[in-house]
Amino acid sequence: MAAAAYTIGEVLFNEHVIQTRVHELASDLGSMLMGKKDVVVVALLRGSFVFFADIIRELARDGLDMRIDFLTVGSYVGNVSSTLQLKHDIEIDIRGSTVMVVDDILDTGRSLSFACDHLRAKGAAEVHTCVLLDKPSRRTVPRQADFIGFTIDDVFVVGYGLDFDHRHRELPHIAAVRFPEDKQ
Ligand code: IMP
Ligand code: MG
């Protein structure tokens, strides 16, 4: 998709709304993870990096003992369809661990499914999932997240880590992207 001729539209979630929800989510995650033996919180890069940074610091304030790692899954576009591949693996040995995967947005569900399958194959005892945003209308695989910040319609969003063409990740809020072909 060309990066030209689009505009940043309305703010869907402002900083305050995001921080309030992140605080609640971290509290729910902490309640579930507290007392588990070996907790590893994994960021599914790259869109989750801002959300992840906020979540892990909230978990730390709540006193959760955890280790942190990073996983990157990407797709390359072939002739017919795009195929997911592992671009950067975690370094921690997660055999027997309780893993919490944190992602920015659950769209088709393919990335999170791929990541969970991979982490289970590496021997995690439990794999849980947390996403900031969920776009259920876009799902192509039957994947749910255990913890969800906000459910949104089928609209492309940027900010708070999410990008369009590597731009707008730095916005402190989440806004809709408007394309010329969108209905006015
Ligand atoms: P999936 O389709 O569920 O595998 O999502 C793949 C990735 O696409 C997400 O983790 C995001 O990084 C990205 N993505 C999906 N929808 C949006 C969006 O609205 N804005 C920015 N990135 C998105
Ligand atoms: Mg992502």
Side-chain angles (χ1 to χ4, degrees):
M1 195 184 302
Y6 71 92
T7 55
I8 304 300
E10 73 271 22
V11 173
L12 300 185
F13 305 104
N14 67 31
E15 270 187 89
H16 176 71
V17 168
I18 293 171
Q19 289 312 318
T20 302
R21 188 68 189 119
V22 167
H23 188 85
E24 291 170 356
L25 266 181
S27 167
D28 293 345
L29 259 63
S31 302
M32 198 276 288
L33 293 170
M34 200 68 74
K36 301 264 186 192
K37 206 166 54 62
D38 181 17
V39 175
V40 179
V41 189
V42 174
L44 192 49
L45 295 176
R46 291 179 280 192
S48 70
F49 78 110
V50 177
F51 176 47
F52 185 75
D54 283 346
I55 282 281
I56 57 172
R57 285 177 296 171
E58 286 288 343
L59 291 172
R61 286 184 197 105
D62 291 345
L64 183 73
D65 180 37
M66 64 190 140
R67 287 184 292 169
I68 301 292
D69 213 332
F70 306 92
L71 181 69
T72 312
V73 170
S75 54
Y76 59 89
V77 180
N79 283 342
V80 180
S81 63
S82 67
T83 308
L84 286 177
Q85 61 180 346
L86 189 67
K87 287 195 167 170
H88 180 270
D89 203 355
I90 55 168
E91 294 183 358
I92 296 174
D93 179 355
I94 57 168
R95 281 175 293 178
S97 299
T98 299
V99 173
M100 174 63 72
V101 187
V102 176
D103 201 7
D104 53 354
I105 185 166
L106 189 52
D107 189 38
T108 65
R110 293 174 67 232
S111 307
L112 195 60
S113 288
F114 184 98
C116 290
D117 290 349
H118 175 70
L119 295 166
R120 272 196 207 92
K122 293 193 80 139
E126 300 173 31
V127 178
H128 304 273
T129 53
C130 173
V131 298
L132 178 65
L133 301 172
D134 185 13
K135 272 198 245 183
S137 61
R138 293 258 311 160
R139 209 75 92 248
T140 60
V141 297
R143 162 62 52 182
Q144 307 296 332
D146 301 313
F147 299 88
I148 296 165
F150 305 102
T151 300
I152 61 171
D153 293 333
D154 181 10
V155 55
F156 199 86
V157 293
V158 291
Y160 195 63
L162 292 114
D163 75 307
F164 178 57
D165 197 27
H166 305 285
R167 295 184 186 278
H168 315 299
R169 291 192 198 273
E170 67 283 5
L171 293 175
H173 53 262
I174 293 171
V177 177
R178 294 297 167 204
F179 299 100
E181 61 271 26
D182 289 345
K183 289 197 186 99
Q184 295 307 305

